[in-house]
Amino acid sequence: MAFILDKVSYRYSEGTAYEMTALDQVSLQIQDGEFIGVIGHTGSGKSTLIQHLNGLLKATEGAIYFNGQDIYDKDYDLRDLRTQVGMVFQYPEHQLFEETVFKDVCFGPKNQGLPEKDVTLRAYEALRSVGLPDKYFDVSPFELSGGQKRRAAIAGVLAMKPSVLILDEPTAGLDPRGRDEILDLIAEMHVHYGNTVILVSHSMEDVAKYVDRIIVMDHGHVMFDDVPREVFHHYRELEEIGLAAPQVTYLMHEMQERGLDVNCDATTVDEARDAILQWIGNQR
Amino acid sequence: MLRDITLGQYYPADSKIHALDPRTKLFGTLLFIISVFSFEGVIGFVAITVFLFWVIHMSKVPLNFMLRGLKAIMILLIIAGMFNLFLTPGQPLVTIWKISITREGLRNAIMMTIRMVYLIMGSSVMTLTTTPNQLTDGLEKALHPLNKINVPVHEIAMMMSIALRFIPILIEETDKIMKAQMARGADFESGGLIKKAKNMVPLLVPLFVSAFRRANDLALAMEARCYVGGDGRTKMMPLVYTQIDRVGYAVVIGYFILLMVIKAVL
């Protein structure tokens, strides 16, 4: 089991006029190899939650276990945790700093203390896997386009070969094509390496297509934690907290309400098509 | 850790002090600082202390908020205190080896410490009860006469308010980039001075880039709104003195005269 969170609470600026509870008694279990989507509105605590997973924020109350070890233990090496739990922040391209793209990607593995040869190899592999053409390896990261910068920054985290990969809104500010490319890439990596992936987003549409499990956050609480189709059954409650189920969910429910007996479990367009075809088949 | 900076951090509350015009507060702070550096004797000290704590009480800002600002200058205070204590010539009180503490030294050290602490606390009252925008507005209006001798008061005030506005943004940005680099295994704590400075590169380069990017965006946004500074520009909320400011001026001036009288009499 990768993570166990036991009644984790976090309060910002404790003891001042600005005190704010960002997480309230959150308990979770995350298994190895899961592909999880964390969804919530702005300020729901989703970013705060994931920053606990690699020890960047320390819970005000509660405990977190990674592979059976308490990460708040005095002897626990947080730097080691951070090499195992890779984190891609929102707008990761803002963290690029080196002279060349290649050097920047080397930063992570170098900090892991790997020998020069391995560092180079890993950086090369990572850049290849995000689909950045070779000709960009030796240019300044500041000369790349927005989408390319993001790929380079994601490569910088992948090069550390984390067993858990956390991505905070990796598609923010990208056009639809860039968004699909990045998400497809993450899904491919998940299948290929079998690593645990936690994808934070506020868009159900993005997440529904890829993940096996959705955690819905609202006001620092876990509201739902289930497989996508179960979560989307609560589409009315989701609307109340400012989220929406994928458009096909609405379509299927609408059809059912109008007397067509289709299966409402579909969460993606493909599944919806299958469900409708099946219904048509049954009619004959 | 970066959240500990209180100087210039506004504490929202509904108090008489918050309601004062920023110009009143600027003037009051100025008079208070003068009084802190000119008082003598125990009675003067008592008068200043009573006044300061009365104002803090009125402002409804918790006392520990004021004291937090002192943490930053603690080392400076100790060093300055030590210098005064050990290096002032005069009548020796205690002598250890070649170093002696003199009566004058002790007096100077105590006075200096009180003055520094009250100076910081006094100006904290102003910065904690006034938003940075109000403060620059007040400065702009108070310094307006300088326009006549070709000092670009409005532009300076504008630059100040932009700079102040960007402090929290840059702090947040620093925090974010720091976390992002720490997630990639960067280490900002251990190592010697040179290693530490070197380790700052992954933090400083993105920070500079983002500062320039933001400055560029802001300039563009201002230009798109046809911004022209200075003459003929009106305010959305012009500063106007009210009854409470008249009372404020009266109290501050009354306090100052009282202190001068105490000083003259003793």
Side-chain angles (χ1 to χ4, degrees), chain B residues 54-69:
Chain B
W54 176 67
V55 172
I56 291 175
H57 176 74
M58 289 264 294
S59 75
K60 292 184 185 164
V61 178
L63 189 64
N64 63 2
F65 245 83
M66 306 268 167
L67 299 177
R68 214 173 282 179

Side-chain angles (χ1 to χ4, degrees), chain A residues 13 16-18 51 54 56-57 79 82 89 94-97 104 107-108 111 142 160, chain B residues 3 10-12 65 68 179-187 201-202 205-206 209 213:
Chain A
S13 310
T16 71
Y18 302 101
Q51 284 182 37
N54 71 348
L56 285 172
L57 289 177
R79 281 189 72 188
R82 283 175 198 148
F89 276 84
H94 292 174
Q95 72 188 29
L96 299 169
F97 69 98
D104 202 280
F107 181 68
N111 284 329
F142 300 107
M160 298 171 76
Chain B
R3 285 165 183 268
Y10 179 64
Y11 183 93
F65 245 83
R68 214 173 282 179
K179 276 180 181 165
Q181 305 297 29
M182 273 159 78
R184 290 210 282 164
D187 180 10
V201 172
V205 173
V209 172
R213 190 182 55 236

Side-chain angles (χ1 to χ4, degrees), chain B residues 105-160:
Chain B
L106 190 64
R107 212 185 98 85
N108 278 356
I110 291 172
M111 290 289 272
M112 204 242 18
T113 311
I114 290 172
R115 280 180 175 155
M116 293 281 268
V117 169
Y118 280 20
L119 171 74
I120 297 288
M121 285 175 76
S123 33
S124 299
V125 172
M126 182 178 68
T127 52
L128 284 165
T129 61
T130 321
T131 64
N133 272 337
Q134 281 179 327
L135 210 59
T136 43
D137 267 7
L139 268 178
E140 186 184 346
K141 195 123 189 218
L143 298 178
H144 193 72
L146 290 181
N147 249 339
K148 294 225 167 61
I149 53 166
N150 286 329
V151 179
V153 177
H154 173 80
E155 279 71 16
I156 293 173
M158 189 70 197
M159 271 152 61
M160 261 180 70

Side-chain angles (χ1 to χ4, degrees), chain A residues 13-73:
Chain A
S13 310
E14 205 172 20
T16 71
Y18 302 101
E19 183 175 320
M20 198 190 81
T21 304
L23 285 184
D24 193 8
Q25 304 265 323
V26 172
S27 296
L28 278 178
Q29 289 188 3
I30 294 169
Q31 314 283 348
D32 280 322
E34 273 190 297
F35 195 160
I36 299 178
V38 178
I39 294 195
H41 208 253
T42 316
S44 59
K46 54 192 195 309
S47 290
T48 311
L49 174 70
I50 55 161
Q51 284 182 37
H52 279 83
L53 297 182
N54 71 348
L56 285 172
L57 289 177
K58 191 175 185 302
T60 325
E61 281 163 36
I64 298 176
Y65 302 92
F66 178 62
N67 290 337
Q69 280 176 295
D70 183 352
I71 67 164
Y72 296 138
D73 209 37

Side-chain angles (χ1 to χ4, degrees), chain A residues 34-39 197 199 203-216 224-238 243-250 253 263-269 271:
Chain A
E34 273 190 297
F35 195 160
I36 299 178
V38 178
I39 294 195
V197 179
L199 182 65
S203 157
M204 284 289 184
E205 218 86 22
D206 275 9
V207 165
K209 203 167 140 195
Y210 300 97
V211 304
D212 328 313
R213 173 180 166 195
I214 290 180
I215 297 171
V216 180
F224 300 112
D225 178 0
D226 216 327
V227 294
R229 71 167 52 87
E230 289 299 322
V231 171
F232 295 147
H233 273 297
H234 303 279
Y235 66 103
R236 291 195 200 281
E237 282 133 293
L238 290 173
L243 295 168
Q247 283 167 358
V248 289
T249 307
Y250 289 97
H253 279 275
N263 184 355
C264 286
D265 286 347
T267 55
T268 65
V269 177
E271 283 173 29

Side-chain angles (χ1 to χ4, degrees), chain A residues 3-4 15 28 48 64 80 107 126 138 152 175 187 193 202 204 238 259:
Chain A
F3 278 107
I4 301 175
L28 278 178
T48 311
I64 298 176
D80 184 52
F107 181 68
D138 283 319
D175 54 28
Y193 294 109
H202 61 256
M204 284 289 184
L238 290 173

